[in-house]
Amino acid sequence: MNSFEASASEIVIACTVLPAFVDITVKDDGEGLKCTDAFGDGVSTKGDERGMGLYLLKMAAEEASIGSDETGTLLSFRMKRESMGSLTEVLPFIFSFSDRGVSVTFSIRRGSEVFTLDSRCLRDELGELSRVGAISEMRKRSRVADELLKES
């Protein structure tokens, strides 16, 4: 959501599954951070009752960092594998932003296994990604990503 609100046209999410952790990076080409303590409780440039997302992420993550420059923002964090939720539920929500002109790429790697979803390819195949049928199909495909999170 932060990437979308920062006028990003491209969001790249990459996950690497390790034995006990998942390393995640989110790179966007948005306008960058407009505050010095993005992980602070209630820190927001978007008004009252905002600013909890990155704070909660920092509290849940083992490690987290964020930075931006003229090319956009890079968020990196490490989560315990057992604390990861279902990608089957979250990925269709993330990809629904591509119907608003944002290109989204998601990849997850465990060893030599790699699974990728790309909004441009999905849109060509499924049409509007916020449609119920497209969301259902993305959930089916996202189960592969959830399987990569399970213990090997």
Side-chain angles (χ1 to χ4, degrees), residues 6 32 54 66 81-82 122 125 133 135:
L54 290 175
I66 191 167
R81 270 176 84 167
E82 67 263 13
L122 287 169
E125 186 177 340
I135 290 170

Side-chain angles (χ1 to χ4, degrees), residues 2 38 50-58:
N2 290 339
R50 299 288 306 268
M52 293 300 297
L54 290 175
Y55 171 74
L56 293 173
L57 172 74
K58 176 82 171 178

Side-chain angles (χ1 to χ4, degrees), residues 98-115:
S98 68
D99 283 341
R100 301 182 198 174
V102 178
S103 169
V104 179
T105 303
F106 169 86
S107 67
I108 185 167
R109 172 186 300 273
R110 185 178 75 188
S112 62
E113 297 176 86
V114 178
F115 171 75

Side-chain angles (χ1 to χ4, degrees), residues 15-151:
C15 303
T16 302
V17 180
L18 305 169
F21 300 100
V22 179
D23 287 341
I24 303 168
T25 61
V26 180
K27 172 79 174 124
D28 70 39
D29 63 352
E31 52 195 46
L33 297 172
K34 293 185 172 144
C35 59
T36 56
D37 183 20
F39 289 119
D41 185 4
V43 172
S44 176
T45 60
K46 299 182 182 63
D48 294 337
E49 298 188 30
R50 299 288 306 268
M52 293 300 297
L54 290 175
Y55 171 74
L56 293 173
L57 172 74
K58 176 82 171 178
M59 295 297 102
E62 297 297 305
E63 301 171 18
S65 66
I66 191 167
S68 67
D69 60 21
E70 65 279 350
T71 64
T73 301
L74 177 65
L75 168 66
S76 300
F77 57 101
R78 173 173 275 190
M79 301 290 291
K80 288 184 178 177
R81 270 176 84 167
E82 67 263 13
S83 69
M84 292 289 295
S86 169
L87 293 170
T88 303
E89 295 305 315
V90 78
L91 287 176
F93 170 74
I94 292 169
F95 277 89
S96 70
F97 286 105
S98 68
D99 283 341
R100 301 182 198 174
V102 178
S103 169
V104 179
T105 303
F106 169 86
S107 67
I108 185 167
R109 172 186 300 273
R110 185 178 75 188
S112 62
E113 297 176 86
V114 178
F115 171 75
T116 301
L117 288 174
D118 181 274
S119 62
R120 291 167 287 228
C121 296
L122 287 169
R123 197 176 310 104
D124 287 348
E125 186 177 340
L126 303 174
E128 186 177 312
L129 297 182
S130 58
R131 286 183 315 103
V132 171
I135 290 170
S136 176
E137 182 60 29
M138 282 187 287
R139 279 194 178 120
K140 288 179 193 173
R141 295 178 189 198
S142 298
R143 289 186 186 119
V144 175
D146 278 332
E147 289 297 318
L148 289 174
L149 287 175
K150 291 183 179 178
E151 290 295 327

